Amino acid sequence: MSFDYDLFVIGGGSGGVRAARVAAAGGAKVALAEEDRYGGTCVIRGCVPKKLMVFASEYAGMVEDAQAYGWDIQSGDFNWGSFKGKLHAELDRLEAIYRNLLKNSGVETFDQRAKMADAHTVELADGTKKTAKHILLAMGGRPVWPDMPGAELGISSNEIFHLETLPKDMLIIGGGYIACEFAGIMNGLGVKTTQYYRGAQVLRGFDDEARGLVSEEMCQRGVDLHCGTNILEMRKEGDKIWVKATNGDERLFDQVMFATGRAPNTVDMGLEALGVELGRKGEIVVDEYSQTAVPSIYAIGDVTDRVNLTPVAIREGMAFVETVFKGNPTPVDHDLIPTAIFTQPEMGTVGLSEEEARELEPIEVYATSFKPMQQSFAGRAERVLMKLIVSQASRKVLGCHIVAPGAGEMIQLAGIAVKMGATKEDFDRTVAVHPTMSEELVTMKEPVRTA
Ligand code: NDP
């Protein structure tokens, strides 16, 4: 049977684009459909614009620190309009790069929505049908928020990059990555920021001590964080949004942002009818090679809800090409993925949290929390945390958790050692880089506790 293409990819985000162009570079005939902008969540409405906003929001504090270091400079006002213009110009530039990458690798693109018609056929929004030997689903995810009175008045992280003006007063709902990162960003940009989280402590699933410090520092810097609090109801009141919370508070905000999780983009894709198995959240169920229950259909990235991070989607895309087009079956290794949360301060983490590790085996915990030199000189009360979880039996470092400015950069490197199976003694025989914050990772002599 002959097909129009060897591979048809649905979704032009990080994972889909990488798989498409690597397959095409290897000689496959490839097409890709994208209904929105190329680059996907990461480039257009996620990691990239978010990180630029983190940078923008950090300057206010830097001016104060510079003054403490003797600089005669004054902080001015933040001009959202000017920043936003540059931000979107940058996103346009990046999207053009993504389009060029596809074009230069010979991938044919369709700027429209696509869905499945049968195991080898994709139907485009204009009604045309394309056949392919293999189909790769890489549609990503989208923000979801609770169904409650007035919920439509709120925004998600998708809209935050497009605000006409910065709100004076903002409420953020949720306690995950997105909620905590934007609480820091908005607060840094001078927005009076309130955060409601329904649980007892933000960043559920991460090391307790690390997330405890992040939340303490967020509050210290001015985020009005209320744990054990959720939103009940909202309605328009003049040009404000009136919000009633579970703690009895009734308050007015200029803007309310929901960061209450994301769902895989599998609605109305024609998947169930073909026998592609979906999980409880609508995620596509795949095996270790990213293959679905229908042999010709594979899925990668957030649409599979495995580990929802850009570099993981890219890995999954590369492993898919290796498996399907290079005859080299390559399972995706999801173990020991280092990651950073761009809260203020940042958190970098790899491996097991103390709570997870002690359920598995006897451990030693090495941890130190201190005021870093640069900020302490500037008169800030801010603290950082360096923490290692060590197996008593194998001496391996099972987890490394850093809360500090630049923790994302640090954990990338510590992640190599942990992934290689370094022991506490390997860390110890590495000479400290002095004076740095991360030198503490190789100078902690005694465990603070065993468990
Ligand atoms: P998360 O799943 O991390 O967090 C969702 C938050 O919303 C949780 O605190 C959850 O509470 C809360 N929540 C869920 N439903 C409700 C509800 N009905 N009412 C009130 N609160 C609710 O999702 P995010 O949207 O923050 O991020 C999505 C994913 O994107 C992340 O898992 C991550 O993989 C990725 N991401 C990664 C980043 C990075 O690498 N730096 C940055 C941003 C996103 P509870 O804890 O009680 O369930």
Side-chain angles (χ1 to χ4, degrees):
M1 187 172 167
S2 88
F3 298 102
D4 298 332
Y5 302 100
D6 299 315
L7 172 65
F8 199 107
V9 180
I10 306 184
S14 306
V17 167
R18 177 65 67 91
R21 68 187 182 87
V22 176
K29 189 171 182 219
V30 183
L32 182 148
E34 167 59 56
E35 65 175 333
D36 201 320
R37 299 186 61 185
Y38 287 70
T41 298
C42 172
V43 177
I44 304 297
R45 50 193 163 267
C47 321
V48 172
K50 178 274 306 285
K51 187 104 193 253
L52 290 169
M53 282 183 78
V54 169
F55 290 141
S57 70
E58 284 175 340
Y59 282 100
M62 285 181 196
V63 172
E64 282 167 26
D65 287 359
Q67 289 165 344
Y69 273 85
W71 286 92
D72 179 15
I73 48 173
Q74 300 308 318
S75 178
D77 286 333
F78 175 67
N79 186 328
W80 168 248
S82 139
F83 169 74
K84 191 176 132 188
K86 286 196 71 179
L87 174 71
H88 287 283
E90 177 62 4
L91 302 186
D92 291 346
R93 189 183 72 84
L94 294 173
E95 183 183 13
I97 291 175
Y98 268 70
R99 280 185 182 273
N100 276 334
L101 284 171
L102 288 169
K103 193 166 152 219
N104 296 340
S105 356
V107 176
E108 191 177 343
T109 52
F110 297 95
D111 292 359
Q112 49 182 313
R113 187 173 168 80
K115 61 180 197 173
M116 297 301 304
D118 67 41
H120 290 282
T121 310
V122 165
E123 183 178 345
L124 296 170
D126 66 8
T128 27
K129 291 192 172 166
K130 302 284 177 190
T131 60
K133 183 161 185 218
H134 302 285
I135 291 165
L136 181 65
L137 304 172
M139 296 87 70
R142 64 181 192 288
V144 286
W145 61 77
D147 188 14
M148 50 163 275
E152 69 286 352
L153 298 171
I155 59 168
S156 73
S157 56
N158 283 357
E159 288 77 41
I160 197 130
F161 308 109
H162 298 276
L163 296 176
E164 281 303 319
T165 51
L166 270 191
K168 285 200 173 59
D169 251 294
M170 178 160 189
L171 172 65
I172 297 179
I173 317 283
Y177 280 79
I178 298 180
C180 294
E181 291 182 340
F182 276 99
I185 290 170
M186 288 300 163
N187 179 56
L189 293 178
V191 176
K192 195 165 172 294
T193 307
T194 305
Q195 184 179 356
Y196 289 167
Y197 172 52
R198 64 183 179 181
Q201 182 57 281
V202 294
L203 298 173
R204 184 165 60 82
F206 292 98
D207 185 89
D208 276 355
E209 201 172 1
R211 64 200 184 114
L213 180 57
V214 169
S215 99
E216 193 182 312
E217 292 292 332
M218 282 170 64
C219 295
Q220 185 89 239
R221 290 173 192 217
V223 175
D224 184 19
L225 171 64
H226 299 254
C227 287
T229 304
N230 208 347
I231 188 169
L232 277 176
E233 194 185 336
M234 48 206 277
R235 67 166 178 260
K236 194 94 187 137
E237 207 166 291
D239 52 4
K240 301 254 183 193
I241 301 168
W242 171 89
V243 169
K244 184 166 182 189
T246 50
N247 63 0
D249 276 2
E250 293 180 30
R251 288 177 56 183
L252 293 173
F253 296 95
D254 294 318
Q255 199 69 254
V256 176
M257 181 177 112
F258 287 99
T260 44
R262 297 176 58 87
N265 277 329
T266 48
V267 177
D268 199 21
M269 286 295 300
L271 297 172
E272 298 92 326
L274 293 185
V276 172
E277 191 190 338
L278 300 185
R280 214 165 51 85
K281 282 177 68 183
E283 74 277 16
I284 299 173
V285 178
V286 290
D287 67 10
E288 57 181 338
Y289 300 103
S290 298
Q291 191 172 29
T292 71
V294 178
S296 57
I297 305 177
Y298 288 72
I300 56 164
D302 289 7
V303 81
T304 62
D305 195 29
R306 285 176 280 181
V307 180
N308 299 334
L309 299 171
T310 303
V312 175
I314 291 173
R315 291 259 160 155
E316 290 166 358
M318 300 287 279
F320 157 78
V321 174
E322 210 48 48
T323 302
V324 174
F325 290 96
K326 301 196 175 164
N328 176 24
T330 306
V332 185
D333 179 4
H334 288 109
D335 197 27
L336 293 172
I337 295 170
T339 179
I341 305 143
F342 295 97
T343 38
Q344 298 178 29
E346 259 170 57
M347 173 154 127
T349 177
V350 62
L352 300 177
S353 66
E354 179 179 341
E355 295 70 39
E356 287 167 334
R358 72 176 174 222
E359 292 298 313
L360 300 175
E361 58 176 303
I363 55 164
E364 288 177 352
V365 177
Y366 294 82
T368 174
S369 183
F370 55 96
K371 288 187 188 169
M373 190 188 209
Q374 186 183 4
Q375 288 74 11
S376 149
F377 184 89
R380 288 187 186 274
E382 206 170 292
R383 282 187 308 127
V384 302
L385 171 73
M386 302 285 155
K387 179 168 180 180
L388 296 176
I389 314 296
V390 177
S391 158
Q392 285 189 24
S394 69
R395 305 300 299 154
K396 275 190 185 169
V397 175
L398 304 173
C400 174
H401 311 282
I402 303 175
V403 177
E409 304 290 346
M410 296 179 208
I411 206 67
Q412 179 69 81
L413 303 178
I416 300 172
V418 175
K419 183 82 184 162
M420 288 176 74
T423 60
K424 175 67 170 68
E425 286 62 38
D426 290 325
F427 273 67
D428 291 348
R429 65 198 173 78
T430 306
V431 173
V433 177
H434 186 71
T436 63
M437 293 177 278
S438 52
E439 68 179 303
E440 298 289 335
L441 288 176
V442 298
T443 55
M444 291 185 284
K445 293 285 171 261
E446 296 297 327
V448 288
R449 56 191 167 270
T450 55

